[in-house]
Amino acid sequence: ILNVEQSPQSLHVQEGDSTNFTCSFPSSNFYALHWYRWETAKSPEALFVMTLNGDEKKKGRISATLNTKEGYSYLYIKGSQPEDSATYLCALTGYGNNRLAFGKGNQVVVIP
Amino acid sequence: GAGVSQSPSNKVTEKGKDVELRCDPISGHTALYWYRQSLGQGLEFLIYFQGNSAPDKSGLPSDRFSAERTGGSVSTLTIQRTQQEDSAVYLCASSLDGTGAGEQYFGPGTRLTVT
């Protein structure tokens, strides 16, 4: 069982502020780390897939880093906008196992 | 192009009834997954189909749950004798080749409520 922890569970951010949150996971048997964004009434949407220690990915104002040795990934949102309000899901795949093991998510509410 | 579709979008059923949830994956995707999210929980893996291989059923919570994938495309998740703890959002996802680093494309989900 791959235990994925996300913190904080929820956060409110003022429009224009930057924020970040953490995904931690067991570093043994790591294969890939996925970040998804899930807006209410929509499908989860893939943001990033990272596999290598030190990987950094960026999409617009959202970026992510990966540390496989210590077992964590950070997701950053720069200059938060109301449309960033969503639940951000972190998920792990292990070697020989293609299923995604999800954390409970980081629920972000951006206050205009 | 068309994404993953699921039907119905919402289903309310009485305890003890059987339900069928349908998933249409993206055309050409060989891998198909079912997950569910119960209230207050993270997304939980249920079952995984890859091509013609035997499905990975290790996430199914009880023998009341079953799934099939016909012709390598459409999948149906069946829950027999539903219980209140089966209430959840059931999500289907597909991916091109089922590798651990491959992106999974999710459908909009079916919200199941068992009364």
Side-chain angles (χ1 to χ4, degrees):
Chain A
I1 296 177
L2 298 173
N3 191 27
V4 179
E5 300 283 343
Q6 293 188 249
S7 62
Q9 187 173 344
S10 67
L11 63 163
H12 290 72
V13 185
Q14 203 68 38
E15 181 178 356
D17 286 352
S18 297
T19 189
N20 66 84
F21 27 91
T22 307
C23 171
S24 59
F25 53 88
S27 53
S28 61
N29 197 34
F30 171 87
Y31 186 75
L33 191 287
H34 302 242
W35 279 102
Y36 283 82
R37 167 195 165 94
W38 194 3
E39 291 182 71
T40 303
K42 294 186 177 180
S43 308
E45 172 195 0
L47 288 173
F48 308 114
V49 181
M50 296 180 286
T51 57
L52 299 176
N53 184 45
D55 263 353
E56 295 186 19
K57 295 282 181 83
K58 186 176 180 183
K59 183 182 286 189
R61 294 177 292 96
I62 302 177
S63 60
T65 61
L66 177 65
N67 183 321
T68 60
K69 292 183 178 179
E70 296 181 40
Y72 64 84
S73 174
Y74 293 138
L75 190 80
Y76 301 89
I77 304 177
K78 183 178 179 182
S80 303
Q81 299 297 309
E83 59 264 31
D84 296 329
S85 297
T87 297
Y88 292 83
L89 299 171
C90 174
L92 197 70
T93 51
Y95 274 100
N97 191 335
N98 299 332
R99 70 182 77 164
L100 292 169
F102 284 90
K104 291 186 178 181
N106 305 107
Q107 185 180 24
V108 175
V109 176
V110 180
I111 304 165
Chain B
V4 178
S5 61
Q6 293 185 245
S7 60
S9 55
N10 280 284
K11 176 73 177 179
V12 180
T13 190
E14 292 180 353
K15 178 181 172 181
K17 300 282 190 183
D18 297 353
V19 295
E20 282 191 356
L21 312 180
R22 177 187 168 105
C23 171
D24 283 88
I26 293 173
S27 178
H29 280 193
T30 63
L32 186 147
Y33 308 79
W34 283 97
Y35 299 89
R36 73 173 179 180
Q37 185 173 46
S38 305
L39 191 64
Q41 302 300 312
L43 276 167
E44 169 194 18
F45 166 79
L46 296 176
I47 189 169
Y48 159 57
F49 297 89
Q50 173 61 59
N52 295 321
S53 302
D56 176 356
K57 304 179 182 180
S58 58
L60 295 178
S62 79
D63 58 8
R64 297 185 295 104
F65 287 71
S66 63
E68 61 178 23
R69 188 179 185 191
T70 53
S73 180
V74 171
S75 178
T76 303
L77 178 70
T78 302
I79 309 173
Q80 295 179 308
R81 305 179 303 282
T82 52
Q83 303 295 311
Q84 288 184 331
E85 62 263 27
D86 300 335
S87 296
V89 175
Y90 289 80
L91 286 169
C92 174
S94 70
S95 67
L96 189 60
D97 55 15
T99 63
E103 181 177 334
Q104 294 186 21
Y105 295 80
F106 283 83
T110 294
R111 182 174 296 276
L112 175 66
T113 303
V114 181
T115 61

